[in-house]
CSV table of all heavy atoms in Angstrom, one decimal:
chain,number,residue,atom,x,y,z
E,137,ALA,N,-117.3,15.5,-74.4
E,137,ALA,CA,-117.6,14.0,-74.5
E,137,ALA,C,-116.7,13.3,-73.7
E,137,ALA,O,-115.6,13.5,-73.4
E,137,ALA,CB,-117.4,13.7,-76.1
E,138,PRO,N,-117.3,12.1,-73.3
E,138,PRO,CA,-116.6,11.3,-72.4
E,138,PRO,C,-115.6,10.4,-73.2
E,138,PRO,O,-115.7,10.3,-74.4
E,138,PRO,CB,-117.6,10.3,-71.6
E,138,PRO,CG,-118.7,10.2,-72.9
E,138,PRO,CD,-118.7,11.6,-73.4
E,218,ILE,N,-115.0,8.6,-78.0
E,218,ILE,CA,-116.4,7.9,-78.2
E,218,ILE,C,-116.7,8.1,-79.8
E,218,ILE,O,-117.3,7.3,-80.4
E,218,ILE,CB,-117.5,8.5,-77.4
E,218,ILE,CG1,-118.7,7.6,-77.5
E,218,ILE,CG2,-117.8,10.0,-77.7
E,218,ILE,CD1,-119.7,7.9,-76.4
E,219,GLN,N,-116.2,9.2,-80.3
E,219,GLN,CA,-116.6,9.5,-81.8
E,219,GLN,C,-116.0,8.4,-82.7
E,219,GLN,O,-116.6,8.0,-83.6
E,219,GLN,CB,-116.1,10.9,-82.3
E,219,GLN,CG,-116.8,12.0,-81.6
E,219,GLN,CD,-116.2,12.2,-80.2
E,219,GLN,OE1,-115.4,11.7,-79.6
E,219,GLN,NE2,-117.1,13.0,-79.4
E,222,LEU,N,-117.3,4.4,-81.1
E,222,LEU,CA,-118.8,4.1,-81.1
E,222,LEU,C,-119.1,3.2,-82.2
E,222,LEU,O,-119.9,2.1,-81.9
E,222,LEU,CB,-119.6,5.3,-81.0
E,222,LEU,CG,-121.0,5.1,-80.9
E,222,LEU,CD1,-121.5,4.4,-79.6
E,222,LEU,CD2,-121.8,6.4,-80.9
E,226,GLN,N,-120.6,-0.6,-81.6
E,226,GLN,CA,-121.9,-1.0,-82.2
E,226,GLN,C,-121.8,-2.3,-83.2
E,226,GLN,O,-122.8,-3.0,-83.2
E,226,GLN,CB,-122.6,0.2,-82.9
E,226,GLN,CG,-123.1,1.3,-82.0
E,226,GLN,CD,-123.4,2.6,-82.7
E,226,GLN,OE1,-123.0,2.8,-83.8
E,226,GLN,NE2,-124.3,3.4,-82.1
E,240,ARG,N,-124.5,8.7,-67.7
E,240,ARG,CA,-124.2,7.8,-68.7
E,240,ARG,C,-124.5,8.5,-70.1
E,240,ARG,O,-125.3,9.3,-70.3
E,240,ARG,CB,-125.3,6.7,-68.7
E,240,ARG,CG,-125.1,5.6,-67.6
E,240,ARG,CD,-125.8,4.4,-67.7
E,240,ARG,NE,-125.6,3.5,-66.5
E,240,ARG,CZ,-125.9,2.2,-66.4
E,240,ARG,NH1,-126.4,1.6,-67.5
E,240,ARG,NH2,-125.6,1.5,-65.5
E,241,SER,N,-123.6,8.1,-71.2
E,241,SER,CA,-123.7,8.7,-72.5
E,241,SER,C,-124.9,8.3,-73.1
E,241,SER,O,-125.5,7.2,-73.1
E,241,SER,CB,-122.4,8.2,-73.3
E,241,SER,OG,-122.6,8.6,-74.7
E,242,ARG,N,-125.6,9.2,-73.9
E,242,ARG,CA,-126.8,9.0,-74.6
E,242,ARG,C,-126.4,8.0,-75.6
E,242,ARG,O,-127.4,7.5,-76.2
E,242,ARG,CB,-127.3,10.4,-75.1
E,242,ARG,CG,-126.4,11.1,-76.0
E,242,ARG,CD,-127.0,12.5,-76.3
E,242,ARG,NE,-126.0,13.4,-76.8
E,242,ARG,CZ,-125.9,13.5,-78.1
E,242,ARG,NH1,-126.7,12.8,-79.0
E,242,ARG,NH2,-124.9,14.3,-78.6
E,243,PHE,N,-125.2,7.9,-76.1
E,243,PHE,CA,-124.9,7.0,-77.2
E,243,PHE,C,-124.7,5.6,-76.6
E,243,PHE,O,-124.7,4.6,-77.4
E,243,PHE,CB,-123.6,7.5,-77.9
E,243,PHE,CG,-123.6,8.8,-78.5
E,243,PHE,CD1,-123.0,10.0,-77.9
E,243,PHE,CD2,-124.3,9.0,-79.7
E,243,PHE,CE1,-123.0,11.2,-78.6
E,243,PHE,CE2,-124.4,10.2,-80.3
E,243,PHE,CZ,-123.9,11.3,-79.7
E,244,LEU,N,-124.3,5.4,-75.4
E,244,LEU,CA,-124.1,4.1,-74.7
E,244,LEU,C,-124.9,4.0,-73.4
E,244,LEU,O,-124.3,4.0,-72.4
E,244,LEU,CB,-122.6,3.9,-74.5
E,244,LEU,CG,-121.7,3.8,-75.8
E,244,LEU,CD1,-120.2,3.9,-75.3
E,244,LEU,CD2,-122.0,2.5,-76.6
E,245,PRO,N,-126.2,4.1,-73.6
E,245,PRO,CA,-127.1,4.1,-72.3
E,245,PRO,C,-126.9,2.9,-71.4
E,245,PRO,O,-127.2,3.1,-70.2
E,245,PRO,CB,-128.4,4.3,-72.8
E,245,PRO,CG,-128.4,3.7,-74.2
E,245,PRO,CD,-127.0,4.1,-74.8
E,246,ASP,N,-126.5,1.8,-72.0
E,246,ASP,CA,-126.4,0.6,-71.1
E,246,ASP,C,-125.0,0.4,-70.5
E,246,ASP,O,-124.7,-0.6,-69.8
E,246,ASP,CB,-126.7,-0.6,-72.0
E,246,ASP,CG,-128.1,-0.7,-72.5
E,246,ASP,OD1,-129.0,-0.1,-71.7
E,246,ASP,OD2,-128.4,-1.1,-73.6
E,298,GLU,N,-124.2,18.0,-81.9
E,298,GLU,CA,-124.5,16.8,-81.4
E,298,GLU,C,-124.4,15.7,-82.4
E,298,GLU,O,-124.1,14.5,-82.1
E,298,GLU,CB,-125.9,16.7,-80.8
E,298,GLU,CG,-126.1,17.5,-79.5
E,298,GLU,CD,-127.4,17.5,-78.8
E,298,GLU,OE1,-128.4,17.1,-79.6
E,298,GLU,OE2,-127.5,17.8,-77.7
E,299,ASP,N,-124.6,16.0,-83.7
E,299,ASP,CA,-124.4,14.9,-84.7
E,299,ASP,C,-123.0,14.6,-84.9
E,299,ASP,O,-122.6,13.5,-85.5
E,299,ASP,CB,-124.9,15.6,-86.0
E,299,ASP,CG,-126.4,15.6,-86.1
E,299,ASP,OD1,-127.1,14.8,-85.1
E,299,ASP,OD2,-127.0,16.1,-87.0
E,300,THR,N,-122.1,15.3,-84.4
E,300,THR,CA,-120.6,15.0,-84.5
E,300,THR,C,-120.2,14.1,-83.3
E,300,THR,O,-119.0,13.7,-83.2
E,300,THR,CB,-119.7,16.2,-84.4
E,300,THR,OG1,-119.8,16.9,-83.2
E,300,THR,CG2,-120.1,17.1,-85.6
E,301,GLY,N,-121.2,13.8,-82.3
E,301,GLY,CA,-120.8,12.9,-81.2
E,301,GLY,C,-120.5,13.6,-79.9
E,301,GLY,O,-120.1,12.9,-78.9
E,302,TYR,N,-120.8,14.9,-79.9
E,302,TYR,CA,-120.4,15.7,-78.6
E,302,TYR,C,-121.7,16.2,-78.0
E,302,TYR,O,-122.9,16.3,-78.7
E,302,TYR,CB,-119.6,17.0,-79.0
E,302,TYR,CG,-118.2,16.5,-79.3
E,302,TYR,CD1,-117.7,16.2,-80.6
E,302,TYR,CD2,-117.2,16.4,-78.3
E,302,TYR,CE1,-116.4,15.9,-80.9
E,302,TYR,CE2,-115.9,16.1,-78.5
E,302,TYR,CZ,-115.5,15.8,-79.8
E,302,TYR,OH,-114.3,15.5,-80.2
E,303,ASP,N,-121.6,16.5,-76.8
E,303,ASP,CA,-122.7,17.2,-76.1
E,303,ASP,C,-122.4,18.6,-75.9
E,303,ASP,O,-121.2,18.9,-75.5
E,303,ASP,CB,-123.0,16.6,-74.6
E,303,ASP,CG,-123.4,15.1,-74.7
E,303,ASP,OD1,-124.4,14.8,-75.5
E,303,ASP,OD2,-122.9,14.3,-74.0
Side-chain angles (χ1 to χ4, degrees):
I218 194 169
Q219 293 77 15
L222 182 62
Q226 292 171 333
R240 293 194 179 196
S241 168
R242 58 193 169 90
F243 297 107
L244 293 169
D246 296 328
E298 288 184 344
D299 285 347
T300 66
Y302 288 91
D303 294 313

